[in-house]
Amino acid sequence: MPISEQLRALEKIAGRSLCTVSDLSGEEVDAVFHAARLIASGTVPLADELRGRVVLTAFFEPSTRTRLSFESAAARLGAGVISIADVSSTAIGKGESISDFGRMLDSYADVIVVRHAQAGVIDEIRAHGLGKPLMNAGNGWGEHPTQALCDWLVLEDWMRREDAARPAAMRLGIIGIPRRMRSIRSFLLLGCARFRDLIRDMTFVSSEPDCLDRELAAALAEAGIPIAFERDLDRVVGEFDAVYINSLALRDGHYVAENAEYRLDGGTPLKREAVILHPLARGAELSSDLDNTRHNLYFKQAEWAVPVRQALLLAVCGQIDALAEAYSASSRR
Ligand code: CP
């Protein structure tokens, strides 16, 4: 059966890992979004496309959204799920090395999802020739690529919605310390690589003047995105069309609240149409009195976590026929 051109790129993802946002081409990102939107629309009757597969989620760090949404995505596709939510329950708790742990994974699962506080762990696991697709669910300050997919999907939907008040390209405010915040790092790297056309400029609001690392600075320069740095949030917040905020940062191996002097709440002089993104979990930097306002895009980021991860699991397992068939059927209607 011929499949749509937009979904065809998913075939190229079969068997591959997603460790950084650069592991997907722009065409592949578009295909994942297309598949996720089809799944979320409910027009695709998915049930057991991954029956007989096993998805392993190994979380060496706390998580609500990422682990549960990967597991929900797997369960909704009929896969079995085995899970490490508490590292002390594994032999690592009695001293086993990460590399020995990594060597076992190929035998136990078809897709491996890992979160760890050390940025180098993903490379360490891969170094031993892991044959199964590995999903980076957050590695220290490094990256959180599947989160960035959720972020840009909802932001792209918001930007492309018919609305006279919506700008063609947004002024984006980043409140945080990107070089120590993996969700913001992946968001920026994916934005530079794939969504340049949606960005007019970026302002980094940070207590640290040196809030970017070399990779981020190079990506922004290569994309030709005008950037500015600002310490006074009130002076610039009214200019932003979209604001990405976080305060959880990795310092000396521990997560701490940083940039804590910055806070968005109902009294912040945001532009009327502006939207706020946050990967959650939030701290004091994002007040719940914004939850029931038009500014709230952060709950949508979390809502899209399941269909985006369903699309990714189908793609890495090479199981996109059901999507393609449903797409063809809906196109014929
Ligand atoms: N966005 C995110 O990574 O949330 P969790 O830490 O709850 O997984």
Side-chain angles (χ1 to χ4, degrees), residues 59 61-68 115 137 144 147 182-183 278-281 309:
F59 278 64
E61 217 193 68
S63 166
T64 302
R65 282 145 291 274
T66 313
R67 185 168 70 84
L68 294 181
R115 168 173 290 189
H144 195 349
Q147 176 68 43
R182 63 188 174 214
S183 294
H278 191 300
L280 305 176
R309 289 172 175 128

Side-chain angles (χ1 to χ4, degrees), residues 9-24:
L10 289 175
E11 290 175 340
K12 299 183 201 159
I13 304 176
R16 280 170 38 197
S17 293
L18 178 54
C19 298
T20 83
V21 291
S22 63
D23 288 334
L24 293 179

